[in-house]
Amino acid sequence: MITDDRYRTLLIDGKTYSGNSFRKPCGGLLSPDAQKAFAEFDLTLPKDILVDPQIFSVRTIDLRTRSERHYQRFYMNLDRHKFDMWLKSLVPEKVEKFCGKCRSVTQRPDGTFRLVCKGNGGAEEVFTADRIIGADGANSIVRKFLYPQKKIRRYTAIQQWFPEENAKPFYSCIFDPETSDCCSWSISKDNIFIFGGAFAPYKCRENFEAQKKRLENFGFVFGKPLKTEACMVLRPESPFDICTGRNGAFLIGEAAGLISPSSLEGISFAVNSARILSEVLNGNASDPNRAYSARIIPMRIKILSKVMKCPFMYDPFLRSLVMKSGIESIKVTK
Ligand SMILES: Cc1cc2nc3c(=O)[nH]c(=O)nc-3n(C[C@H](O)[C@H](O)[C@H](O)COP(=O)(O)OP(=O)(O)OC[C@H]3O[C@@H](n4cnc5c(N)ncnc54)[C@H](O)[C@@H]3O)c2cc1C
């Protein structure tokens, strides 16, 4: 949070409780790293953000080898939109708020930024700022403005919601190299069964449907979806994919490319990078861009460690060895 009185801060965000508000498609699982990030703010989570059931393990399925293992997990199962709205409610009163979307970013010769925005009601507004922070996720308009040439690996994440009916709720992680070189997941939330996966953009919908078909042999019953949602998700391949911003513009969270390429866990990276940037901007660094970039180095190293973990999860041969070995798996008695 930027608390320094040197700044007048404007938050541009269109999320509301209304039915047609943008809702981030997400697994809504708060990892231990994210829980720690909130603990460091001395924050506690209101219970109406949690959903039923809470989970203790993940059923990992490799469709290629038809093998399965269970692994213990310590996630909290959340309603992602309620979680986002709770976070928004924590924004201090003195921060001005504009409910809408930023359409374009430009930088003037004097170094200030010009943001053309459209309010949720349709009216256009133009804002000028000395500094901007892109916290605008995988499809960041600020990142595109700052680094138009820079490519980062991206996937299309597709999720469908189904009535749970009589199935026993479970959390699963699915690997199916025939349809995706990333992973898929299923999770239950308040009697809704959610199935989603990350797919290379080309033929993503076909591959999603093909994977659903293949999962029917594993006892998955899908039926007619209540809702289908999709968005982009980034998957960095190296610490150099992380871009922290320049010339008075900063990137945090997934806009910076900060997301685990192994698990697609991104909430802890978003919270931690926001905290680091606020510390830099509230301090007296002569070059805040350089100071922020330096403070992000441990997160780059963490991304590197996740990149190195990827072959053991995503290379079909290594994954089958890991799953066969049973290392860290738990025995589940039904
Ligand atoms: C399907 C899926 C499942 C996932 N599951 C998990 C999970 O279970 N646990 C986990 O930790 N991570 C998960 N992730 C990753 C996680 O959702 C993101 O990494 C994390 O939300 C990033 O936070 P952020 O604040 O950087 O961006 P976001 O959460 O994407 O937030 C960006 C915000 O910016 C707003 N915005 C975007 N563009 C504009 C604009 N032009 N003008 C104004 N506002 C704008 C959006 O409305 C949005 O509210 C998942 C990702 C996907 C796609």
Side-chain angles (χ1 to χ4, degrees):
M1 211 164 300
I2 297 169
T3 50
D4 197 305
D5 285 334
R6 284 175 297 169
Y7 300 109
R8 253 183 85 196
T9 315
L10 172 74
L11 169 72
I12 301 165
D13 181 76
K15 280 190 304 294
T16 65
Y17 274 116
S18 90
N20 56 7
S21 161
F22 169 76
R23 285 163 195 252
K24 169 89 183 171
C26 180
L29 295 175
L30 205 63
S31 69
D33 280 348
Q35 293 169 33
K36 183 167 174 232
F38 284 105
E40 284 168 358
F41 277 108
D42 200 18
L43 278 173
T44 51
L45 211 61
K47 84 168 188 308
D48 67 313
I49 288 171
L50 297 179
V51 292
D52 190 44
Q54 293 302 312
I55 47 177
F56 303 123
S57 70
V58 55
R59 177 182 165 200
T60 300
I61 303 171
D62 186 333
L63 284 183
R64 190 186 70 101
T65 55
R66 304 182 62 81
S67 51
E68 262 189 62
R69 286 277 181 196
H70 288 79
Y71 296 92
Q72 192 176 8
R73 284 292 175 270
F74 302 94
Y75 295 134
M76 294 175 90
N77 193 6
L78 308 170
D79 179 318
R80 174 64 202 252
H81 192 61
K82 279 191 187 165
F83 173 70
D84 282 352
M85 292 308 291
W86 169 67
L87 286 176
K88 212 172 155 180
S89 76
L90 301 177
V91 176
E93 281 287 299
K94 70 171 194 171
V95 172
E96 290 167 51
K97 286 135 198 139
F98 176 79
C99 202
K101 224 177 148 104
C102 178
R103 294 281 194 202
S104 79
V105 181
T106 45
Q107 191 165 23
R108 292 171 165 149
D110 66 357
T112 58
F113 296 92
R114 184 174 185 271
L115 309 176
V116 180
C117 301
K118 192 164 180 192
N120 283 0
E124 191 174 282
E125 290 235 25
V126 179
F127 300 101
T128 305
D130 289 333
R131 288 181 179 162
I132 55 168
I133 301 171
D136 47 349
N139 205 13
S140 168
I141 191 171
V142 182
R143 183 182 172 112
K144 280 184 207 149
F145 161 70
L146 292 173
Y147 303 98
Q149 309 295 342
K150 182 109 183 154
K151 296 269 180 285
I152 178 166
R153 185 171 51 163
R154 45 192 73 205
Y155 287 75
T156 305
I158 306 176
Q159 281 199 154
Q160 283 186 330
W161 297 33
F162 302 90
E164 195 150 61
E165 288 167 355
N166 298 323
K168 192 176 160 202
F170 65 98
Y171 167 44
S172 69
C173 178
I174 298 134
F175 297 98
D176 179 24
E178 265 202 28
T179 49
S180 173
D181 63 353
C182 196
C183 64
S184 296
W185 53 86
S186 74
I187 180 90
S188 298
K189 288 183 195 278
D190 288 343
N191 298 319
I192 298 288
F193 174 73
I194 299 176
F195 172 70
F199 297 84
Y202 180 64
K203 292 200 170 170
C204 55
R205 190 59 197 262
E206 284 97 319
N207 283 323
F208 176 76
E209 294 300 336
Q211 192 179 94
K212 273 169 61 188
K213 231 27 303 70
R214 287 157 66 75
L215 278 166
E216 284 170 7
N217 299 329
F218 278 77
F220 281 67
V221 182
F222 291 108
K224 196 167 177 286
L226 298 169
K227 165 164 134 174
T228 302
E229 51 189 9
C231 69
M232 184 187 289
V233 63
L234 303 184
R235 196 169 173 223
E237 294 171 278
S238 114
F240 299 108
D241 286 342
I242 312 306
C243 299
T244 54
R246 58 184 175 207
N247 304 333
F250 302 86
L251 296 169
I252 58 176
E254 209 175 323
L258 290 163
I259 177 168
S260 165
S262 55
S263 63
L264 303 184
E265 191 275 330
I267 296 174
S268 70
F269 288 98
V271 175
N272 286 325
S273 56
R275 180 176 49 75
I276 291 170
L277 180 58
S278 73
E279 287 166 5
V280 168
L281 293 178
N282 289 327
N284 289 312
S286 57
D287 182 346
N289 277 108
R290 183 184 278 229
Y292 174 56
S293 178
R295 296 266 323 264
I296 288 295
I297 289 172
M299 293 179 97
R300 286 188 198 269
I301 294 170
K302 193 164 180 182
I303 297 280
L304 177 64
S305 75
K306 305 279 183 191
V307 169
M308 286 160 68
K309 188 178 170 189
C310 278
F312 298 96
M313 286 176 72
Y314 292 98
D315 178 85
F317 176 67
L318 291 178
R319 179 175 57 242
S320 74
L321 285 185
V322 172
M323 286 181 73
K324 262 197 199 121
S325 75
I327 293 169
E328 291 196 357
S329 68
I330 54 170
K331 199 166 160 231
V332 171
T333 311
K334 296 211 175 155

